[in-house]
Structures are given as C-alpha cells and as structure tokens.
Amino acid sequence: HGVCISVAGRDLLKDAHLKLCPGQRYGFIGRNGSGKSTLFRAMASARIPGYPPNCTTLLVDQEDVGDERSAVDTVLSANKELSDMLEEEAALLPCESGGPETAATALRAHELLNARRARFKAAMYESKLSGVRGKAAREALLSAEQREKDAEAAMHAEVKES
C-alpha cells in the first residue's frame, strides 16, 4: 500500500497498491513512458516496501530489436535457468514418441547440448584466471572442448548411419 514512484517531478505511481503472490510470474504492459521499467528497477533494487527479497525480477531491454519470438517468449528467454530447461526438454522430447533409434539420437543431442554448455562455462571461467588456477582452468577448458568434439562426432556418425 502507498507505493509512490516519481521521475523528474512526474508521478508514475501515487498511493498504489501492489500485491505479488509467491510462485506467480508477472509482466507489465503499457504505453512508453508509463513507468513499467522504472517500477521493475525499483522492485529489483528492493526499493518497494514489502517486496519479497526472494523474488527474482528480470528486465528485457527496451532496445531489444526483437526477432520472430512473441513478447512472452522474449521475456521467458531472459530467465537463463528456464531457457536451459526448455532447451533440454526440446532435445529430449523425441524420446517419448519415437523408437529406440530416435531415443538414442535424442540422447546424443542432449549430450552435445551439455558438452557445449560445459565448454562455454569452462571458457568463461578460464578467461578470468591466471597463474596456477589459470593453468588448471585451461586444462579443464581443453577437456571440455574434447568432450564437445566427441559429442559432435557421435551426432555426425548417427546422421551418416541414418
């Protein structure tokens, strides 16, 4: 109750009531300049009284050029954990409807997905370290790169056999 947000002397929210329920996802839709991003930033920086500290606030840049995805898909893709899980689901989904060959292909695709993620994570980690830790991180990156190459080879071998 009583949430007030002003920017440059202009009231965006005045004595507003904001109630958020745990486990729900929210998005704001409104005209440009109506205060959507300002409210989200205030929520993310815990400047809203009573805003639960365990809530996650994701912002999609206004400058996002966009693509063929819907607005909902764009916002959902900003959540890395959810995006990763949806990507895994898409890779494994053929296991449910196909035979053993389809399941084997889906599992190889899932292994390749995991190998690419591991290589990306190792590369990010390795780029930030030097010295002894940097050497260990470089070795982990080389191992992750080899795992990715092996997974790609398994996928290509599967395609050639088909």
Side-chain angles (χ1 to χ4, degrees):
H1 291 279
V3 175
C4 298
I5 297 179
S6 298
V7 174
R10 180 174 165 238
D11 288 337
L12 298 176
L13 294 175
K14 187 173 182 179
D15 294 326
H17 175 76
L18 180 65
K19 180 179 180 182
L20 302 173
C21 298
Q24 298 297 312
R25 296 180 188 272
Y26 298 91
F28 296 156
I29 299 172
R31 292 184 0 234
N32 288 344
S34 63
K36 302 177 300 292
S37 297
T38 302
L39 177 59
F40 270 127
R41 279 191 212 89
M43 292 164 66
S45 62
R47 293 188 323 229
I48 302 290
Y51 187 70
N54 59 337
C55 284
T56 302
T57 303
L58 299 172
L59 295 169
V60 177
D61 289 332
Q62 289 180 352
E63 290 79 30
D64 189 9
V65 178
D67 51 30
E68 68 281 350
R69 296 176 298 172
S70 70
V72 171
D73 288 338
T74 300
V75 170
L76 292 177
S77 71
N79 185 328
K80 178 74 171 124
E81 182 181 358
L82 177 62
S83 295
D84 287 351
M85 289 179 0
L86 290 172
E87 194 174 25
E88 284 190 45
E89 178 188 42
L92 292 170
L93 202 56
C95 289
E96 290 184 356
S97 59
E101 298 84 17
T102 305
T105 301
L107 291 174
R108 284 188 190 95
H110 185 254
E111 175 58 29
L112 179 56
L113 176 66
N114 285 335
R116 285 181 174 155
R117 286 180 182 164
R119 187 221 2 108
F120 178 79
K121 187 176 179 181
M124 294 298 289
Y125 188 67
E126 184 267 344
S127 70
K128 294 180 169 99
L129 298 176
S130 61
V132 174
R133 289 188 293 178
K135 182 180 178 198
R138 179 69 184 148
E139 290 170 0
L141 175 57
L142 291 172
S143 175
E145 288 172 344
Q146 186 59 51
R147 179 180 166 206
E148 182 181 16
K149 286 178 187 175
D150 293 345
E152 285 176 347
M155 279 297 295
H156 289 113
E158 174 72 25
V159 170
K160 288 180 183 176
E161 290 174 12
S162 301

